[in-house]
Each structure stands twice: as C-alpha cells, then as structure tokens.
Amino acid sequence: MDFEDFNNPQVAALPNHLRQYIVGQHYEHYTPIDQAVWRYIMRQKFSYLTDVAFYPYIPGLVKAGLTIDHIPRLQEMNHALAKIGWGAVTVDGFIPPAAFMEYQAYKVLVIAADIRQLKHIEYTPAPDIIHESAGHAPIIADPDYHQYLSYFGSIGAKAMFSAQDYELYEAIRALSILKEMPDADPIGLKNAEEQVAYWQQNMGEPSEMALLSRLHWWTVEYGLIGTLEKPKIYGAGLLSSIGESATCMQPHVKKLWYTPEAVNYAYDITQPQQQLFVTPTFQNLIAVLEQFADKMSFRIGGSYGLQKAVESGNTCTVVYSSGLQVSGTLTNFMKDANGQPAFIKLTGPAALAYADKQLNGHGKDYHKDGFSSPVGRLKGYDTPFEDFNRDELLSVGVSVGEQAQLSFESGINLKGIVKTLLVKNGKTLLITFEDCTVKSADGQILFDPAWGVYDMAVGESIISVYSGAADKNTFEEIGYSPKTSTYHPTYSEQKLNLHRLYQRVRNCREQKSGYDRLPYIWDQLQQDFPQDWLCALEVLEILDHKNDEQELALIITQFLKDKAAALPELKKLIEDGLYLIKHPVEQ
C-alpha cells in the first residue's frame, strides 16, 4: 500500500517500521447500518457526556474533526488534528503494545479502521473507529493531556517486554476478533476466552511493558479526573462506551486516587472495571509516570537493565557512558566483584550508533555475528576511559599502529594492535584492534585473534538499556506482525436489503425529502426485519420532528416500547433513543 500522509506533518514523520501497521480506511466499506451506529452513539455522547465528561471533551469532538452525522474520514481528522500538532492513521485492530506506544510518541493516533456491530453498540472489546476517534481524539485538545499522552508514548517505546507479553497480546487480539464476528463458533469463542485467562494467570513477573500497560489502562483508557465524589470522565474506553460511561459513575464501582499504586491493579479487557482511578489534574498523571519511569531499565541501566534485556530476548539497545549505543540481542553479560557490568555479549546481527544514528561501517552486515566488549575503568586510573586525554591514551599504548595492553578493574585484559579510534564530542567511543586477544579474570578467552578484527566499545558504565534499536531505520527493524487478521463480513442479499432500508432513511433525513416512503420502509422492516430496532427508531425520529403520520408514529413507539420490555439488553438503548427524539441534540 502506498503511504498516505494526508498532508499531516506528524504522519509524514513516521518511520518505516511503524508505517507497516497502517491500512487503508476504505470508507466505502462502511455500511448504512455502520453510519447509523455511529450517529446513535454520537448523539448519546452529546446528550449524556455533556454532564459527565471532562469539559474539553464536547468542544474537543469538533476540534478533532468529528461530526454527529457521519463516520469521520481520515483526511478530515488529520486536517483538524494538525492544528493541535497531532495526526491519525488507520490500523487493523489491536497492534503490538510497543508499536502503539511509539505512535503516541510521534503524536499520531492509531485508529482501528473497523466499526463495532450493532449488537455491540454499547461496548466492544475490540478497538474500533468509535473508540479511537470519538474516545481518544477529543481530549487531545487539552494541552496538559496531549503532553502526557506523547510523553507516555516516548517512555513506553523504551519499555522492556517479554515473550509472555506477546502471547497475551495475541490471545486478546484473537478474542476481540471473534467477539466481533456475527456468528462466532461458541466453542472457538470459549477456547479464545480460556487462552486469555491462561496467559493472564501465567505471565510470571510482569515486564515493564505489562506494568506500563496498566498505567495506560487506568488513565488513557479508563481514567477519571476531579474529585472522588464527583469525578469527570476522560478515559477513551469510558467515553466510547455508552453503557459503561453511565454504570461507571454508580457507587458499586470504587473510585480510588490515582497514585503509583495503580500499577499493582491488573485489568480484564473483556469485563466492566471493578474500580477506577481519579486524578486531580493531568499534571499528576505525568508525576506518577515519572516515578514509574525512574525504576525502568532505560533510566537505571547497569546490571539491572542488562538482566532485563537478557530476559526479554528481543532487540535492545545498551548505552555506554561514552554515548556509544549497541543494538542487538543481548544473550549474556559478566559482572565485576561489585556487581557492576564488566562485559557484554550480543548474539546475532548487531549495530553501533551514536545519538540515535548508526555509525558508518558498523551496521548489521558488518556485525552480523554479534558484538562483545568490556565495560568499566582501567586498573589504576580514576579517569573514565572514554575521557582519557592523548597522554593517558599513549600511556596504555592506545595509538594507531601501536600495541596496547589494557587491564580493566574487573580483571579483564586486552592485548592488540590499535587500528583506529573513534572520538565524538571529546569522548572515545570505539577502538578497533587487530591481532587482538581478550581474556577474563579467570583466563577465559573472550576474543581470539583468529576471529578477525576486534571492535571494543569504550565506557566506564552502562547508563541505559532499552527496548528496540537506537537507529530503527538503518537497523531495518521489522516490527512484530500479528498472527490474526480482523474479520470482514460478506453480506447476504437479505442483509443488503436491510442496508438499503437504512440508507433510504438516511437519505430522507439528509435530503429532507421522500417522507412519503417512510410508511413503506416501516412495512418492510416489520415484514422482513422484525428484530431491528435502530432503523425503526430513525424512522420514528423523522416522523416526530416533522409532526407527520402521527398514527404511524404511535405504532412504531409502541413497537419499540414492547421490544424494550421483552428484551432487557435493549431496554436502555431504546429508552435512550426515545429520549433523544424528544430532546434532540445539536453539534
């Protein structure tokens, strides 16, 4: 698919490894029923959420390029969002958490292209265009909130994740897809639910990404703001659920202050929440995030960060105190007597970078068999090795063409002929040796001259370890690809006939003509689609506002009331729809 940036600077800046998740919106795939679902939900939002949503939400809908009457086109949203420094792209359902976070860091909303079915109009566990656009986008207009959102993304993009994280992600994605299928196999659905439950119970120690996902859930998705007694909604999961946005305010849903302790509360994406967290301000969200980030590998570095990288088993970046960045899969590291890193070993393709740009000649092709290097100070020197001046370098033989002998405080020893030095901003980053031998304190061979040229990283310590490559574009990092695809139905002729009835009602409302066809449409609904309620509601809305066909209006009203009484799951939906006919909303 050709990349479309919608003339939006934020979208245009997306790197290749994120562009792979983008899919076309295919606006023509939205059915007249889809448009009616959007309109119903948006009318409910303008009615109910005016009182319970955080103030910027309602004006934010307009600022995000959203209208009551039609599903937004991506170009419309990007035109509006560009004015507040954001952009939007459409994706295929749930994307991996790490990619989702990085999109936020680039100030781009990822919007699931699909829309929920009518039977899931109150809530869907699957991401859809209602949740993403009408949930997330409007609050972004608040400057403190969009600062939090993008900052969260930049931190989340560095979070370590585990193999179990991806298993749970796949299980949740598969379940959400099945739940949105009109005729999902009950056995398959049960198995998918069991898979989610299994991985939720067998995650082991939560990874940084898993813990961050909790903070994201309790703020961005299900957050409340204000006071415990009278909070307002800002979380997109609540704003996009016309069911839970009401029930969440009831006393049985506990309201707790949002503090760093929220990270200890797991969540279930398929169930209503048992408790919610209230923040007094959006600045408090940033304060809590800062406290959590201080405990992450990218800020702690050292042996702690290296161990997290080994456990991850994925591409990570190790940052030396000199500024040198080493990207690849860390498989082992050695500690000195004080527990500090003494030696790192990456297996498989690796790359070296500085300031997030790959160093010339040090890409994955050159370091295709991995990379290893000592860490630490040289024995007998108080000055960090990377800060040695010319005389100090000469004192240990580090001069091009000369043989150097380096003894590290950890006991590691190196002997070899200096081929090149790489210096940036006054710090030595890398020394390349020929005929080089590296041994550990106990005499173990860490590098043998027969293995070729040896590139040694220079740095007193490891100051940061984070997920992903330093220079993702040159590392040619191919992001994780989901195993499942979202469901796209093929409609029967009968279903297409229902679509046509919905479209005729829509045409009548928008064109303000063809009212004489409404009795016929009602007859067709009664004859062929007696289970439908939303199209009947739309017919009644037009009749009521025109004050026409009053007898027919009474018949449809009684039909809807009878249906609400017979089917408890439709009671609130129909009653809310009838209320809006008498109390219309305007944008």
Side-chain angles (χ1 to χ4, degrees):
M1 184 189 85
D2 292 334
F3 177 67
E4 171 63 69
D5 64 18
F6 306 99
N7 294 318
N8 183 294
Q10 305 303 133
V11 176
L14 288 172
N16 291 333
H17 71 280
L18 290 181
R19 294 182 184 185
Q20 67 172 316
Y21 296 108
I22 299 173
V23 299
Q25 186 181 20
H26 297 297
Y27 198 87
E28 70 279 4
H29 290 175
Y30 298 126
T31 70
I33 295 179
D34 294 336
Q35 295 286 0
V37 166
W38 172 271
R39 183 172 180 272
Y40 177 92
I41 291 176
M42 292 301 290
R43 288 168 69 233
Q44 293 293 339
K45 286 178 180 297
F46 272 80
S47 174
Y48 174 69
L49 292 178
T50 299
D51 296 324
V52 299
F54 183 56
Y55 167 71
Y57 178 73
I58 296 300
L61 287 166
V62 178
K63 290 182 180 179
L66 306 179
T67 69
I68 287 176
D69 287 322
H70 71 271
I71 297 169
R73 296 178 183 274
L74 211 53
Q75 182 61 69
E76 295 170 338
M77 287 197 70
N78 271 292
H79 176 72
L81 289 171
K83 296 175 183 177
I84 54 176
W86 279 71
V89 296
T90 41
V91 298
D92 181 40
F94 280 115
I95 63 172
F100 183 87
M101 296 288 185
E102 200 169 355
Y103 272 106
Q104 279 187 200
Y106 278 92
K107 297 185 178 180
V108 174
L109 280 179
V110 287
I111 297 174
D114 296 333
I115 188 169
R116 67 193 65 180
Q117 296 177 67
L118 176 55
K119 71 177 183 178
H120 290 152
I121 193 169
E122 284 193 285
Y123 171 77
T124 174
D128 77 332
I129 194 166
I130 294 173
H131 170 83
E132 310 291 357
S133 61
H136 286 295
I139 303 295
I140 291 179
D142 184 278
D144 285 343
Y145 182 73
H146 79 227
Q147 177 190 358
Y148 169 71
L149 200 62
S150 60
Y151 188 49
F152 198 112
S154 65
I155 288 175
K158 294 180 180 292
M160 294 294 186
F161 53 85
S162 66
Q164 290 94 323
D165 287 333
Y166 277 119
E167 294 290 356
L168 179 60
Y169 157 72
E170 286 288 1
I172 290 175
R173 179 180 165 89
L175 176 61
S176 69
I177 291 171
L178 277 174
K179 280 183 172 285
E180 271 301 309
M181 292 176 67
D183 300 306
D185 173 32
I187 296 176
L189 193 57
K190 183 174 182 293
N191 289 339
E193 289 172 341
E194 289 175 351
Q195 274 293 100
V196 171
Y198 173 82
W199 284 112
Q200 284 178 331
Q201 296 163 15
N202 291 273
M203 293 294 290
E205 183 182 352
S207 68
E208 289 180 351
M209 181 61 78
L211 294 174
L212 265 178
S213 294
R214 293 179 184 177
L215 295 184
H216 198 271
W217 183 263
W218 298 127
T219 60
V220 175
E221 297 295 349
Y222 278 80
L224 301 175
I225 187 169
T227 66
L228 294 181
E229 295 75 22
K230 291 186 178 181
K232 299 291 186 181
I233 299 171
Y234 73 89
L238 293 174
L239 292 171
S240 63
S241 171
I242 56 177
E244 203 168 357
S245 61
T247 59
C248 78
M249 290 302 183
Q250 296 175 4
H252 73 273
V253 179
K254 288 189 294 185
K255 312 302 191 296
L256 306 173
W257 283 118
Y258 182 68
T259 70
E261 295 302 309
V263 78
N264 298 319
Y265 288 77
Y267 60 88
D268 185 343
I269 197 170
T270 65
Q271 300 293 326
Q273 310 310 307
Q274 300 304 304
Q275 77 284 308
L276 295 172
F277 293 88
V278 183
T279 183
T281 65
F282 286 141
Q283 285 298 321
N284 179 59
L285 301 184
I286 296 176
V288 171
L289 180 59
E290 276 293 313
Q291 290 183 58
F292 181 83
D294 284 341
K295 301 175 183 177
M296 291 175 63
S297 299
F298 85 96
R299 286 192 177 170
I300 293 177
S303 296
Y304 175 85
L306 293 175
Q307 183 58 41
K308 291 295 183 184
V310 171
E311 292 170 1
S312 170
N314 294 287
T315 300
C316 295
T317 295
V318 177
V319 185
Y320 277 74
S321 50
S322 62
L324 181 71
Q325 299 162 308
V326 183
S327 299
T329 303
L330 187 74
T331 51
N332 194 17
F333 69 98
M334 301 168 68
K335 302 178 188 178
D336 63 19
N338 297 316
Q340 297 302 311
F343 190 83
I344 64 168
K345 179 176 174 57
L346 289 78
T347 302
L352 308 183
Y354 181 76
D356 298 332
K357 296 296 182 183
Q358 184 174 292
L359 298 175
N360 290 335
H362 289 283
K364 292 196 302 182
D365 290 341
Y366 179 70
H367 295 288
K368 62 182 183 300
D369 297 320
F371 182 85
S372 65
S373 181
V375 185
R377 290 192 179 192
L378 293 186
K379 188 183 298 183
Y381 289 86
D382 293 331
T383 303
F385 193 11
E386 62 263 37
D387 293 329
F388 272 26
N389 58 34
R390 183 174 179 277
D391 290 338
E392 287 170 321
L393 289 172
L394 288 174
S395 70
V396 291
V398 176
S399 178
V400 175
E402 299 295 324
Q403 186 174 73
Q405 291 193 9
L406 307 178
S407 296
F408 290 84
E409 288 183 345
S410 62
I412 290 175
N413 290 285
L414 178 149
K415 181 179 179 180
I417 298 172
V418 178
K419 183 180 180 184
T420 60
L421 283 83
L422 178 62
V423 179
K424 296 270 189 184
N425 294 325
K427 290 185 179 289
T428 302
L429 305 186
L430 192 70
I431 304 175
T432 300
F433 296 93
E434 294 177 315
D435 192 22
C436 184
T437 301
V438 183
K439 293 182 180 181
S440 66
D442 59 7
Q444 176 188 351
I445 297 293
L446 302 177
F447 192 86
D448 188 276
W451 301 349
V453 171
Y454 185 62
D455 296 291
M456 188 193 79
V458 180
E460 177 187 27
S461 61
I462 300 300
I463 60 171
S464 180
V465 185
Y466 58 84
S467 180
D471 186 341
K472 289 183 170 64
N473 283 334
T474 56
F475 201 82
E476 298 175 349
E477 204 170 33
I478 302 299
Y480 182 85
S481 181
K483 299 175 184 177
T484 50
S485 297
T486 51
Y487 173 77
H488 297 103
T490 300
Y491 299 110
S492 66
E493 187 59 33
Q494 183 186 30
K495 192 71 172 180
L496 291 173
N497 285 335
L498 181 59
H499 290 174
R500 294 181 187 108
L501 293 178
Y502 269 85
Q503 186 61 50
R504 287 169 185 163
V505 174
R506 186 176 183 84
N507 292 343
C508 180
R509 184 178 61 253
E510 291 180 344
Q511 297 169 12
K512 295 180 172 55
S513 64
Y515 300 121
D516 58 323
R517 297 194 56 79
L518 292 176
Y520 167 77
I521 292 171
W522 167 247
D523 287 341
Q524 290 298 112
L525 285 171
Q526 285 289 279
Q527 179 179 322
D528 299 329
F529 309 100
Q531 78 285 356
D532 178 82
W533 62 273
L534 183 55
C535 193
L537 200 62
E538 292 208 324
V539 172
L540 178 61
E541 179 191 353
I542 296 173
L543 294 175
D544 185 88
H545 292 176
K546 277 188 83 278
N547 197 26
D548 193 15
E549 297 279 357
Q550 293 183 18
E551 184 177 345
L552 178 57
L554 289 173
I555 292 173
I556 298 175
T557 300
Q558 192 58 50
F559 164 81
L560 288 167
K561 287 181 177 179
D562 290 344
K563 189 172 284 293
L567 299 171
E569 67 272 19
L570 295 181
K571 185 175 187 298
K572 186 178 186 302
L573 291 167
I574 291 174
E575 289 179 351
D576 287 348
L578 292 173
Y579 175 85
L580 279 180
I581 289 176
K582 297 301 182 182
H583 304 83
V585 296
E586 295 183 4
Q587 187 166 0

